[in-house]
Amino acid sequence: MSQSSSRVDRAPILVLGGGIGGMSFAILASRAGWPVHVVEADPNWRVYGAGITVTGPTYRAFRSLGILDDLKAQGYHVTEGGRICIPNGTPVADLQDRPIQPDLPVSGGIMRPDLHALLSRLTREAGVRVSLGLTATEWTDQGDRVEARFSDGSTGTYDFVVAADGAFSKARSFLFPDAPRPAYTGQYCWRVVAKRPPEIDRSHFFVGAPVTCGLVPVSQDLMYMWLLENVPEMRRVDEATAYQRLAALLAPFSGPVGAVRDALNADSLVNVRPLEAVLLPRDQWFKGRSILIGDASHATTPHLASGAGIAVEDALVLVEELQRHTDAPTAFQAFTDRRFERCRLVVESSVAIGKAQQDHVSPETMGAMMAKAQAALLADI
């Protein structure tokens, strides 16, 4: 009997969460011959947010996932580094980035809903069973299998559980009640989608004002603007007037950022959220036949644009280790050994860069911090 057919004869893998990490794992595991059941709490399987920035290491991960061509058909992708500008829009420096692999883009962007739609289509095409509007309320590790109970009263038997249910993971709380939870890092991130003028042909960063912001192309017609606001304590943001608050924050800018500000109105889709991060200790990444991946074990802030990338990397490495080991807990330990330091690099560096912004360190110091972390991320996974 082939290895692939023997996997199909086993109990399925239960994947909790239908986000980037969960879908990436489900696609890879199904292609490798495992039966997979994805359980997603949202009955409409929606995704919120504006665009996301794609970096070289993330392109590499997407290539390994087998979706690079699909990704290139959407979004906006460039072979040049970003551009640094002062608040009035005048360029002052170009970042001399090189592709991580010869034929990969240096950077780019895509609308988050477009990436979600691509991954959800590929998940279904891979033959993954998807249950929407459902959560796992509890599960019991029987040593050689897992018995799960769901919110609709149904039950199921699974080989093991992969929890990819986000930064505020219920699975994490179920498995490790004393695990650390995401902590506020002192900043809010604002995002809004706008029409892309021709001159925004790559990522642009605007420095020198009381706040830092950027413009990232996500298609031939669109870009998204992000802005980081230093806020000592978390507070509620009124959605109805969020555009007015964002316009006030953008007051120091002119040029293309000023144009975005001037176009804001009550119908603008402004996305704002507090930045929170968590890194679980190494001994809380898995327990028996259950493992946490993606934001469930290492939620980061967007300062290195690596959250999505390391979630896909998690999926790639976990499937590799499951193929190398016949015992799930042994594979989980090997996964943790490979992933912990890299994910710690992303989380701790991102939080440190955010703290440096709040402390108003010099642009040279900030640049050195980012360059060091980005260079480390070029290493193989």
Side-chain angles (χ1 to χ4, degrees):
M1 179 180 293
S2 71
Q3 185 181 41
S4 177
S5 62
S6 66
R7 289 173 186 151
V8 173
D9 293 339
R10 299 179 68 176
I13 301 168
L14 177 60
V15 178
L16 304 179
I20 292 174
M23 287 190 286
S24 297
F25 173 80
I27 292 166
L28 291 163
S30 184
R31 288 175 179 169
W34 276 282
V36 183
H37 182 196
V38 171
V39 173
E40 165 57 42
D42 184 354
N44 298 307
W45 208 3
R46 297 162 295 186
V47 64
Y48 300 97
I52 66 169
T53 299
V54 186
T55 63
T58 302
Y59 277 115
R60 179 177 60 189
F62 281 139
R63 163 179 276 165
S64 298
L65 182 59
I67 68 167
L68 182 61
D69 289 341
D70 294 287
L71 192 71
K72 284 184 174 180
Q74 302 183 58
Y76 191 98
H77 315 285
V78 298
T79 56
E80 299 173 287
R83 176 163 288 166
I84 307 296
C85 304
I86 56 177
N88 68 5
T90 301
V92 294
D94 285 345
L95 301 176
Q96 302 302 316
D97 292 337
R98 292 181 294 178
I100 191 171
Q101 293 174 352
D103 55 345
L104 283 182
V106 166
S107 65
I110 187 171
M111 290 295 294
R112 187 175 290 272
D114 290 343
L115 177 60
H116 179 87
L118 169 61
L119 290 174
S120 59
R121 173 175 62 81
L122 294 176
T123 297
R124 292 195 185 278
E125 289 179 356
V128 175
R129 177 188 171 197
V130 178
S131 297
L132 302 179
L134 198 65
T135 59
T137 55
E138 60 179 344
W139 57 98
T140 305
D141 191 329
Q142 302 290 358
D144 61 347
R145 68 190 187 281
V146 174
E147 301 290 341
R149 181 175 297 278
F150 300 100
S151 52
D152 64 354
S154 63
T155 59
T157 300
Y158 297 92
D159 192 354
F160 54 88
V161 177
V162 176
D165 55 342
F168 299 95
S169 168
K170 292 183 179 179
R172 179 178 63 224
S173 298
F174 177 76
L175 292 170
F176 302 105
D178 63 338
R181 297 173 185 252
Y184 177 56
T185 62
Q187 291 180 306
Y188 274 62
C189 185
W190 296 75
R191 294 183 177 93
V192 65
V193 178
K195 292 291 185 181
R196 183 184 73 85
E199 64 269 24
I200 303 301
D201 58 354
R202 68 192 78 178
S203 293
H204 282 58
F205 306 92
F206 299 84
V207 300
V211 293
T212 301
C213 72
L215 298 174
V216 181
V218 291
S219 74
Q220 293 304 311
D221 302 319
L222 298 174
M223 63 182 180
Y224 82 93
M225 188 206 73
W226 56 265
L227 179 144
L228 295 174
E229 179 190 12
N230 298 334
V231 182
E233 296 181 358
M234 289 178 61
R235 66 188 182 204
R236 179 181 174 275
V237 178
D238 184 359
E239 292 184 5
T241 59
Y243 77 97
Q244 295 174 333
R245 173 60 183 164
L246 179 56
L249 290 169
L250 293 172
F253 298 91
S254 53
V257 175
V260 173
R261 177 197 61 229
D262 295 343
L264 291 170
N265 57 62
D267 295 324
S268 298
L269 297 178
V270 176
N271 177 276
V272 56
R273 67 180 181 91
L275 297 185
E276 298 170 270
V278 66
L279 176 69
L280 295 191
R282 189 190 294 264
D283 62 357
Q284 292 185 337
W285 279 38
F286 73 94
K287 182 177 182 180
R289 303 188 74 81
S290 300
I291 188 167
L292 301 162
I293 68 170
D295 284 354
S297 55
H298 50 75
T300 188
T301 61
H303 295 82
L304 291 174
S306 295
I310 58 173
V312 178
E313 289 178 2
D314 277 1
L316 290 163
V317 172
L318 182 55
V319 171
E320 285 180 6
E321 295 302 336
L322 287 167
Q323 290 175 310
R324 290 183 178 135
H325 305 280
T326 57
D327 176 65
T330 302
F332 294 168
Q333 184 63 62
F335 166 88
T336 303
D337 292 343
R338 282 181 64 183
R339 295 299 295 158
F340 182 80
E341 290 300 332
R342 183 172 177 86
C343 295
R344 180 166 75 171
L345 166 73
V346 171
V347 175
E348 293 184 351
S349 297
S350 297
V351 172
I353 292 167
K355 178 65 166 55
Q357 290 172 336
Q358 295 168 64
D359 293 341
H360 304 290
V361 303
S362 70
E364 293 77 15
T365 300
M366 185 76 65
M369 293 175 67
M370 295 189 69
K372 181 180 179 181
Q374 290 167 342
L377 287 173
L378 299 178
D380 292 337
I381 64 171

